[in-house]
Amino acid sequence: MRGLARSVALGLALAVVGVACGEDTFRWDPLPPAEYGTAPEPFDASALETATPIKHVVFVIKENRTFDNLFGLFPGADGVRVGIDRGEPRPLTRAPEMLPTDIKHCYRCALQAWNEGKMDGFATISEAAERWAYTQYLPEDIPNYWHWASEYVLFDNFFASAQGPSFPNHLYTIAAQSGGTHENPAQDQELLRERHRETGLFKSWGCDALDTAWVNVYDSEGVAKRVAPCFDFLTEGDLLTRAGIPWAYYAATQWQNGYIWSAYSAVRHIREDEDVWQRHMFPVDDFVDHAKAGLLPPVTWVTPRFEVSDHPEYSLCHGENWTTRVVNAIMESPHWESTAIFLTWDDYGGFYDHVPPPQVDDFGFGIRVPLIVISPYAKEGYVSSELGEFSSVLRFVEDNFGLTQLTHRDREATPLLSAFDFTQEPRPPELRPLRQDCTGPKFPTARRYAEG
């Protein structure tokens, strides 16, 4: 299995911390794996011919929140403070900084919550869903997210690409398709724990997953076939490479919790080509330094480590601090004046939302999630109801850099231009402070960001 021998050699560099049970017992902070690039090659994007003044796009994907959960109280947006639960009104109560457990949010769970558009089945999934699905945050609970939504552009008609969990949705963020999958790959949990204990490797959902890992792929007739989670479809990265446009993907490494969201690891011709992988894949812990140094290429994806991802069983406060460091670093970058940040969350995570997602094909849209666009050219304090999904961000990239499309999803998507006013003077950067009021546990991998 790819990387195993090297991980053993790195064993002495691994720090083992923690007292929790199960997979979270170990917190691994190795030296950067040699198979990753040190930094993107410097590139002068100013010479690129683009349809807009935007020369740098940064697509930040966080975890497991709906629009009503984060922004249901936002003035002028399509949010609610009272939901519908099995046909009856149910007030949305204040959400805690972190939940004691995740809320189950599988493909069938999402369909059950959606309930043919009634949007009233969220609490029926599990005991955790009954208790926590109908919660939402107050403005003071998410001050920086609220600030960016207030000062830049908040989309209230933006949806996850797929009904269901992370794996299919993260594939949509790079390929405008999920490879025919509805669910996360299935793997033997005991074998995963054993591999982690022996090597320090965290769970993969891609080509370097366990040899026995599988996921169902559905054809146009709805017939399922069990396959390994390693695909060879065309991606946005391929389109950019063909056009000679550099790109980068920042994610947790195999030795960090959160590698499951490294979507290109599930694309064979990228994951198994060492030169391509090293040229485009970088440890997410290096993003802030690279951004401040002006090393970001024209198109960049960023996904976090698990502990700072906003996943509900981890502290949203620490997660928001991580996002703040990412946005601040981009604003401190010499590229700020030509940058657009698209900040979103990958799926609904089990939380309530009241807007029925349009069903455009057999995979989605999924349940509504927030999108915030931050840019010197973003309109000020604007709520956009332009219809969108993750493929819409790809469509912006394609239209802006003169690329073709990948699937019917990005062909039919609009490029979210309602977020911008390209006639205005570029807005100066506005750095946000890190929060000092986090009460959730400060996991070692989160502390670096929460405490600066």
Side-chain angles (χ1 to χ4, degrees), residues 272-294:
E272 297 185 355
D273 186 319
E274 292 185 7
D275 181 63
V276 172
W277 184 261
Q278 189 175 56
R279 191 182 316 128
H280 298 291
M281 302 296 141
F282 301 94
V284 70
D285 289 353
D286 293 341
F287 177 84
V288 166
D289 291 339
H290 291 177
K292 289 181 179 180

Side-chain angles (χ1 to χ4, degrees), residues 3-255:
L4 284 176
R6 187 166 193 287
S7 67
V8 173
L10 281 169
L12 293 178
L14 302 179
V16 184
V17 185
V19 295
C21 297
E23 258 186 294
D24 285 340
T25 300
F26 301 92
R27 303 289 171 189
W28 301 84
D29 286 305
L31 299 172
E35 65 184 78
Y36 288 84
T38 303
E41 291 291 330
F43 181 81
D44 182 8
S46 63
L48 286 175
E49 291 189 11
T50 52
T52 76
I54 300 302
K55 307 292 184 179
H56 296 87
V57 174
V58 183
F59 193 1
V60 183
I61 304 108
K62 301 214 71 182
E63 292 297 310
N64 292 39
R65 300 290 169 177
T66 63
F67 190 92
D68 281 336
N69 176 250
L70 287 183
F71 294 109
L73 299 176
F74 196 85
D78 185 7
V80 297
R81 62 181 67 218
V82 177
I84 302 297
D85 179 10
R86 288 160 282 194
E88 299 295 327
R90 178 171 175 176
L92 303 185
T93 57
R94 187 175 186 177
E97 180 182 325
M98 59 189 294
L99 304 188
T101 183
D102 190 19
I103 304 175
K104 189 176 180 181
H105 51 283
C106 61
Y107 169 60
R108 295 190 180 279
C109 307
L111 295 182
Q112 189 170 324
W114 171 64
N115 194 17
E116 300 295 333
K118 296 183 180 69
M119 307 304 288
D120 68 350
F122 292 83
T124 67
I125 308 303
S126 65
E127 182 178 342
E130 167 64 41
R131 184 173 182 184
W132 301 112
Y134 287 79
T135 57
Q136 69 182 177
Y137 291 92
L138 305 183
E140 56 266 34
D141 298 329
I142 49 172
N144 288 347
Y145 288 148
W146 200 270
H147 173 84
W148 294 321
S150 300
E151 295 298 319
Y152 295 95
V153 179
L154 175 66
F155 281 75
D156 67 354
N157 199 29
F158 188 85
F159 298 85
S161 292
Q163 290 277 27
S166 288
F167 184 66
N169 278 299
H170 277 268
L171 291 178
Y172 269 99
T173 68
I174 64 168
Q177 65 162 298
S178 68
T181 64
H182 288 300
E183 284 284 9
N184 297 334
Q187 298 183 72
D188 186 297
Q189 296 301 306
E190 184 53 44
L191 286 179
L192 284 171
R193 284 190 287 270
E194 180 181 346
R195 183 177 78 163
H196 182 63
R197 285 192 296 267
E198 293 178 353
T199 69
L201 289 169
F202 277 90
K203 180 166 58 178
S204 168
W205 280 344
C207 299
D208 50 2
L210 294 179
D211 293 339
T212 54
W214 61 271
V215 66
N216 276 328
V217 167
Y218 292 80
D219 63 21
S220 58
E221 303 299 321
V223 178
K225 180 181 179 180
R226 183 177 291 190
V227 303
C230 188
F231 305 98
D232 245 335
F233 45 65
L234 196 66
T235 72
E236 196 79 351
D238 296 311
L239 297 183
L240 290 162
T241 297
R242 290 176 180 180
I245 300 171
W247 58 277
Y249 193 97
Y250 287 82
T253 71
Q254 304 94 297
W255 292 270

Side-chain angles (χ1 to χ4, degrees), residues 216-354:
N216 276 328
V217 167
Y218 292 80
D219 63 21
S220 58
E221 303 299 321
V223 178
K225 180 181 179 180
R226 183 177 291 190
V227 303
C230 188
F231 305 98
D232 245 335
F233 45 65
L234 196 66
T235 72
E236 196 79 351
D238 296 311
L239 297 183
L240 290 162
T241 297
R242 290 176 180 180
I245 300 171
W247 58 277
Y249 193 97
Y250 287 82
T253 71
Q254 304 94 297
W255 292 270
Q256 296 170 333
N257 201 359
Y259 180 59
I260 51 176
W261 301 315
S262 187
Y264 280 101
S265 73
V267 181
R268 187 184 304 278
H269 65 270
I270 292 176
R271 184 64 186 95
E272 297 185 355
D273 186 319
E274 292 185 7
D275 181 63
V276 172
W277 184 261
Q278 189 175 56
R279 191 182 316 128
H280 298 291
M281 302 296 141
F282 301 94
V284 70
D285 289 353
D286 293 341
F287 177 84
V288 166
D289 291 339
H290 291 177
K292 289 181 179 180
L295 295 176
L296 298 186
V299 180
T300 304
W301 287 260
V302 189
T303 65
R305 291 200 194 194
F306 205 108
E307 296 88 346
V308 287
S309 68
D310 296 349
H311 217 272
E313 72 275 33
Y314 288 88
S315 163
L316 184 65
C317 184
H318 290 315
E320 186 183 35
N321 273 352
W322 177 86
T323 311
T324 301
R325 289 204 63 188
V326 166
V327 173
N328 283 353
I330 297 168
M331 289 185 170
E332 292 180 276
S333 163
H335 300 319
W336 164 247
E337 286 196 359
S338 64
T339 296
I341 304 169
F342 295 87
L343 168 63
T344 192
W345 286 257
D346 76 330
D347 66 60
Y348 82 114
F351 292 104
Y352 178 78
D353 195 83
H354 80 282

